[in-house]
Amino acid sequence: MKLKYLLAFIPALMISSCSKDFLEPDSISTFDLDYIYSNVDDARNGVNAVYSYFNQDAFRSRLSNNMTGITDIEIGYHNGEYDNGRREIWNADALSSNNDLNIVWTYAYRAIRDANIAIEGITNSGNLDSDDANIKTTFNQLLGEAYTLRAYWYSMLTFYFGDVPYVTEAPVAGADFFFPKTNRNTILSNEIEALMAVEENMQWADALPYGIEQVNREYTIGMIARLALQRGGYYLKPDLSMVRDSDYLDYYQIAKTYSQKLINLKDRELSSDFRQIFYNQNIFLSPVNQDILFEVPFAKGGGDVGWNIGINVIGGTDAKHDYGSGGNYMAMPATYYMSFDSKDLRREVTCGLFKVTMQDTLDHVGVGNISQGKWNRRLLPEPPGRESAKGTGINWPMMRYADVLLMFAEAENELNGPTMEAQNAFKRVRQRAFDAADWSTKVDTYMSQVSTSKQTFFDAIVDERAWEFGGEMIRKYELIRWGNYSEKIQETVDGLKKLADEAFAGVGTGPDYMFWKTDDDGNFLVLNPDNKIAVAPDNTWIRQPFLIALHNDTTTYSEFILNDFENYINGPKPGVVRYIFPIPVTAIDNSQGTLANDGYQFTN
């Protein structure tokens, strides 16, 4: 089923025109709210207004992937370019005039505003305690959806801007719309408490009309755990120190409790085929009770998955296929590709080594443009047209069950060390990555090796989350809350230089050159994905520079290795990533003095 309803129909009453402040809508009277939330259909439409912001560029091409910038597993090449957009963000030095930041700020607060309107309307409707069981169930579900969507946007705002205005009431005409900043941990704590109060009255995905294309109880429980780890994790203060509050273990306990709650109440087997999870998205299938808990339901013609993220497909008027054009704004570094175990089945799915040419053939992309291979517009059930680009309709995964299992393992380890409960949750994720014949060495022996201490188990979780979620663009948030962002970037730069040096000297074991071809069925094959070989066995194989391409005869290393990571290692405070961005100048100007970009060594 391909859901169009939530993002396709947006009630006009809930969408405001340009307003003098980012929190102020067109006047909505008490009568309006009473009318809208007096019945199920109109209340559904009111909550749909909150979903609508997923179909704005603020989410579909910014927060979902573009703004996740540079990590140890995903690179946004920028060359220090100031483009008033994503490259400034990738350089960790965006100005308050940055248009992408302004778009995200504006639409985040519009989504929060409409969520608050829905929450107030539903709460005051009397339908949460209706004598009609169906009405009562539906309204409680809608309330949970509104709270969960609001919590998502506040999570993103606090990741990108730190302390921000915190608004939890529906706006009314004549009210004060100029809110000062609230401490980011106060916001996160309150949002966690709000979700904890509503999740038990929500419905599981298999009881909902739109399944995982609708915010459901399992996603909300997972969000409680994710928000708790964010709240209990490290964060950047205005003096550029990375700290976490003294009560952080309380939030690891919440993360453990709620991830365990979902495991106990709604456990499911992980999909045996890792590739199938994302193939389902490419062909518009959204099965319940499997790995994906919630995915943003882009209607056909909406969403940017397969356009700015995914396998590179070259289309256009002269193309010999009708699938249009798509690429990847960010690439994956060779260090990430080479970090996979050679038998890990996730690597081939995650790291796209090929592109689709205009001739509808496959070609190697080289070492500098390894793509997020989980999505491929060439797999769409119906070709969207040779000149198409945006709007593939491929859904975006917001959370998977594998994430819940690893969150439980991480929280349990932080609280009690690598207990058997933590190890078993970890094992479930790792088992899928390998053939069953290899489990004794790749899972059991590996788990014994990494479970010798709390630190080694944590380090293994850091690695496993990279291999499991590569390209799903959540790594930046993890590195922030772990407090090891700059450290992991330094490791990446050192690793890239080592690969370049070894390839140039001919002493490494990795593929300095890859040999590839397509078989009779058009499948892309690589002869030596892991190791160095001198020559191919026959002339059907094409030689492609790989690790050797990280070397530059003039500068020793490729330009991106020397330049693109610099602000993550030697920014305003060396060893600390200034991941916080300035509040957009438009919001500052409209705040009547309540907001300012103070601290963080901002220069504007």
Side-chain angles (χ1 to χ4, degrees):
M1 176 175 63
K2 185 62 184 172
L3 172 61
K4 298 181 180 181
Y5 182 64
L6 291 180
L7 294 185
F9 176 73
I10 308 301
L13 182 60
M14 293 297 170
I15 302 295
S16 71
S17 59
C18 295
S19 57
K20 59 187 177 183
D21 184 77
F22 61 89
L23 295 173
E24 182 180 5
D26 293 337
S27 178
I28 298 177
S29 69
T30 302
F31 174 80
D32 292 330
L33 286 182
D34 290 345
Y35 172 75
I36 293 169
Y37 293 97
S38 63
N39 64 86
V40 167
D41 289 341
D42 287 334
R44 172 76 268 172
N45 291 339
V47 175
N48 285 359
V50 192
Y51 282 92
S52 74
Y53 298 99
F54 285 138
N55 207 30
Q56 300 287 343
D57 276 352
F59 176 83
R60 68 183 187 186
S61 66
R62 266 80 171 182
L63 283 179
S64 62
N65 55 82
N66 274 354
M67 286 184 63
T68 53
I70 286 181
T71 71
D72 55 337
I73 69 175
E74 295 137 351
I75 309 173
Y77 297 121
H78 58 80
N79 298 317
E81 178 183 346
Y82 277 81
D83 64 344
N84 197 37
R86 64 183 184 275
R87 290 178 181 83
E88 282 181 20
I89 293 170
W90 295 339
N91 196 33
D93 196 25
L95 305 175
S96 62
S97 57
N98 185 280
N99 188 54
D100 281 4
L101 293 180
N102 185 54
I103 289 173
V104 169
W105 178 276
T106 299
Y107 283 102
Y109 275 107
R110 289 183 182 179
I112 289 166
R113 177 203 64 203
D114 286 356
N116 287 335
I117 292 171
I119 290 166
E120 181 173 314
I122 292 169
T123 302
N124 293 338
S125 70
N127 288 317
L128 294 174
D129 298 308
S130 173
D131 293 334
D132 186 312
N134 289 332
I135 292 177
K136 179 178 179 179
T137 297
T138 300
F139 269 80
N140 276 282
Q141 168 63 27
L142 290 172
L143 183 66
E145 291 180 38
Y147 270 116
T148 305
L149 293 170
R150 188 183 76 178
Y152 167 79
W153 286 102
Y154 272 126
S155 173
M156 293 296 100
L157 285 169
T158 55
F159 264 129
Y160 284 98
F161 302 103
D163 299 344
V164 295
Y166 186 44
V167 189
T168 59
E169 296 181 355
V172 294
D176 181 3
F177 296 105
F178 305 107
F179 293 85
K181 295 178 184 177
T182 296
N183 180 275
R184 53 92 71 182
N185 278 353
T186 299
I187 295 172
L188 292 171
S189 296
N190 289 347
E191 291 302 290
I192 291 167
E193 291 178 6
L195 296 190
M196 290 167 63
V198 298
E199 65 86 7
E200 289 190 351
N201 292 320
M202 295 178 68
Q203 294 177 275
W204 304 113
D206 57 16
L208 291 170
Y210 302 114
I212 64 169
E213 292 186 307
Q214 183 176 351
V215 168
N216 49 65
R217 189 181 179 192
E218 43 262 76
Y219 175 63
T220 298
I221 293 175
M223 274 295 292
I224 294 171
R226 180 178 282 181
L227 290 168
L229 290 178
Q230 180 182 356
R231 169 61 176 81
Y234 288 89
Y235 62 97
L236 187 66
K237 292 181 69 68
D239 64 359
L240 296 182
S241 60
M242 286 292 289
V243 301
R244 62 179 175 183
D245 286 5
S246 60
D247 62 355
Y248 74 95
L249 287 179
D250 294 342
Y251 288 90
Y252 274 85
Q253 182 61 57
I254 292 173
K256 175 191 170 181
T257 298
Y258 277 84
S259 54
Q260 188 171 43
K261 182 175 187 176
L262 183 56
I263 293 169
N264 291 340
L265 293 179
K266 201 66 173 175
D267 195 17
R268 73 280 313 276
E269 293 296 324
L270 294 180
S271 308
S272 59
D273 184 352
F274 187 71
R275 184 185 302 275
Q276 189 69 41
I277 302 168
F278 310 99
Y279 180 72
N280 285 343
Q281 293 190 303
N282 283 283
I283 61 172
F284 305 150
L285 293 180
S286 301
V288 298
N289 296 324
Q290 294 190 21
D291 204 342
I292 295 180
L293 302 184
F294 169 56
E295 57 186 16
V296 172
F298 290 121
K300 293 180 181 180
D304 292 342
V305 186
W307 173 65
N308 66 352
I309 183 169
I311 292 292
N312 189 0
V313 179
I314 303 174
T317 56
D318 296 327
K320 293 184 178 180
H321 62 78
D322 292 320
Y323 287 89
S325 300
N328 54 302
Y329 280 16
M330 285 183 282
M332 293 178 164
T335 43
Y336 176 58
Y337 174 84
M338 295 300 297
S339 73
F340 281 86
D341 187 288
S342 61
K343 292 187 175 182
D344 193 325
L345 302 173
R346 294 171 294 193
R347 182 178 66 179
E348 185 179 356
V349 178
T350 301
C351 299
L353 293 178
F354 67 88
K355 63 182 177 182
V356 180
T357 70
M358 291 181 66
Q359 289 72 39
D360 203 18
T361 59
L362 304 185
D363 196 357
H364 201 293
V365 296
V367 75
N369 199 33
I370 301 172
S371 66
Q372 299 81 12
K374 292 174 176 176
W375 303 280
N376 183 356
R377 67 187 298 127
R378 185 64 180 79
L379 300 175
L380 290 171
E382 298 179 8
R386 66 185 62 189
E387 295 185 63
S388 63
K390 296 166 70 74
T392 63
I394 299 172
N395 287 354
W396 180 253
M398 294 288 276
M399 186 179 292
R400 296 198 281 114
Y401 192 60
D403 196 347
V404 174
L405 294 172
L406 290 177
M407 285 193 290
F408 172 79
E410 179 184 345
E412 170 68 3
N413 180 61
E414 187 69 27
L415 294 165
N416 302 308
T419 63
M420 287 307 301
E421 290 81 2
Q423 293 180 47
N424 288 336
F426 193 144
K427 279 184 178 181
R428 291 182 62 182
V429 176
R430 191 164 175 84
Q431 282 173 336
R432 179 174 58 190
F434 296 92
D435 287 330
D438 294 317
W439 284 1
S440 62
T441 56
K442 301 300 182 182
V443 179
D444 298 334
T445 300
Y446 176 83
M447 194 59 56
S448 297
Q449 293 170 343
V450 303
S451 300
T452 56
S453 72
K454 179 178 176 179
Q455 184 62 47
T456 57
F457 194 76
F458 169 76
D459 292 341
I461 287 174
V462 171
D463 290 340
E464 200 68 30
R465 290 188 68 90
W467 298 322
E468 178 71 20
F469 302 112
E472 295 174 58
M473 302 305 177
I474 59 176
R475 186 66 165 183
K476 179 176 183 176
Y477 312 125
E478 296 168 351
L479 297 179
I480 290 169
R481 67 177 180 80
W482 288 330
N484 60 358
Y485 201 165
S486 188
E487 173 189 340
K488 299 302 287 186
I489 295 297
Q490 183 68 69
E491 287 179 10
T492 300
V493 172
D494 293 343
L496 289 168
K497 289 180 177 179
K498 183 174 185 290
L499 290 174
D501 290 342
E502 291 177 344
F504 182 67
V507 297
T509 60
D512 302 341
Y513 297 85
M514 280 186 177
F515 292 86
W516 69 276
K517 67 178 179 181
T518 54
D519 63 18
D520 293 340
D521 295 323
N523 298 310
F524 183 79
L525 305 176
V526 176
L527 178 64
N528 59 321
D530 308 289
N531 59 299
K532 182 200 310 287
I533 61 173
V535 295
D538 57 64
N539 60 9
T540 64
W541 297 92
I542 301 169
R543 191 176 82 152
Q544 170 71 43
F546 196 64
L547 297 180
I548 191 66
L550 297 173
H551 174 83
N552 183 290
D553 288 340
T554 302
T555 61
T556 306
Y557 305 111
S558 296
E559 182 180 6
F560 83 93
I561 300 175
L562 297 173
N563 298 326
D564 284 22
F565 299 99
E566 185 63 17
N567 275 344
Y568 293 78
I569 299 170
N570 295 308
K573 183 177 180 180
V576 175
V577 179
R578 185 177 64 179
Y579 67 85
I580 294 290
F581 294 114
I583 295 173
V585 65
T586 302
I588 298 290
D589 290 345
N590 290 340
S591 71
Q592 294 193 358
T594 58
L595 298 178
N597 279 316
D598 42 8
Y600 303 104
Q601 295 188 28
F602 291 141
T603 58
N604 65 318

